[in-house]
Amino acid sequence: MRTRRQVLGTLGALGTVTALAGCASRADRQSGGAGLFAPEFSDRSIPEQYTCAGGDISPELEFSDVSFDTEAFALIMDTVDASGSKPFVHWLIWNIPANTTTLPEGIPQQPRVELSERGTDPGFPATVTGTTGPVHQGTNGFGEIGYRGPCPPPEEPPYTYEFTLYSLRSTIDVAPGAKRPALESAIQSELIGETTLIGTFDR
């Protein structure tokens, strides 16, 4: 039986080959964090189904090269291109188990999601390797729970979106539905490292 490191290391090697073939970079910025890859992104472009122009569902994300010190992940998706003095939040999700290799697309917009029961939600994948639950989701910049995709004004240059994955020493005690400041505060006390994946979209 292979260890978690061996399994994730294999996934990381495969993902690197995919990136060289022209898909999105596994990690645009990395500082001691796990690998992060979006298999449906091509040349950093976010496909329409993950935006307000399509189904507005969360994208599939793959994790690799996970440290044995990691017990959980948190992820923040935002953009600095939207109007305002602060980054605009599109997604807050945390307490993702460390054995997760694939976070499936289409996670329901609920404060608490039991991924081991994901097959009960129409359109949600029935089987995903290594992913259990529950995970918690917070309130995004639209005032909603869970994921809301890119929705830049038409006729503007492409907006840039950052998916930052935080490797944590333990799960964090942040109530489902929380906003970014509460999540970031809890992340800092348990942070091992972080990785940022970049995507772009325009209408």
Side-chain angles (χ1 to χ4, degrees):
M1 182 175 179
R2 291 186 293 177
T3 66
R4 188 175 82 198
R5 178 174 289 175
Q6 288 171 325
V7 171
L8 293 178
T10 301
L11 177 61
L14 292 173
T16 301
V17 172
T18 303
L20 291 174
C23 293
S25 169
R26 173 162 297 274
D28 293 277
R29 293 201 308 269
Q30 185 164 343
S31 177
L36 178 61
F37 182 62
E40 297 300 320
F41 293 12
S42 177
D43 296 326
R44 295 192 175 184
S45 179
I46 300 175
E48 190 172 276
Q49 65 262 35
Y50 307 123
T51 76
C52 69
D56 214 9
I57 61 173
S58 61
E60 177 182 328
L61 297 173
E62 296 178 356
F63 306 159
S64 68
D65 306 322
V66 181
S67 164
F68 278 146
D69 295 334
T70 300
E71 291 298 328
F73 296 110
L75 185 138
I76 296 176
M77 175 193 171
D78 62 17
T79 179
V80 297
D81 291 333
S83 59
S85 59
K86 297 180 180 179
F88 188 84
V89 175
H90 284 264
W91 197 16
L92 304 172
I93 182 168
W94 63 94
N95 289 347
I96 303 166
N99 68 340
T100 300
T101 58
T102 301
L103 192 64
E105 71 174 21
I107 293 180
Q109 291 181 302
Q110 301 169 2
R112 181 182 169 99
V113 179
E114 183 68 55
L115 296 184
S116 62
E117 299 176 0
R118 55 193 169 273
T120 63
D121 191 273
F124 203 52
T127 56
V128 178
T129 303
T131 305
T132 58
V135 298
H136 295 166
Q137 297 189 101
T139 302
N140 58 42
F142 297 94
E144 300 177 3
I145 299 293
Y147 178 89
R148 279 290 303 273
C151 197
E155 310 303 329
E156 287 201 10
Y159 275 26
T160 297
Y161 300 85
E162 297 188 353
F163 297 77
T164 302
L165 181 69
Y166 300 91
S167 300
L168 307 176
R169 296 183 184 88
S170 69
T171 57
I172 50 181
D173 186 16
V174 177
K179 294 185 178 181
R180 181 177 190 151
L183 178 59
E184 286 186 323
S185 178
I187 285 173
Q188 291 309 309
S189 63
E190 301 296 339
L191 183 62
I192 294 173
E194 63 187 76
T195 303
T196 297
L197 177 73
I198 304 296
T200 63
F201 180 72
D202 66 328
R203 292 197 287 161

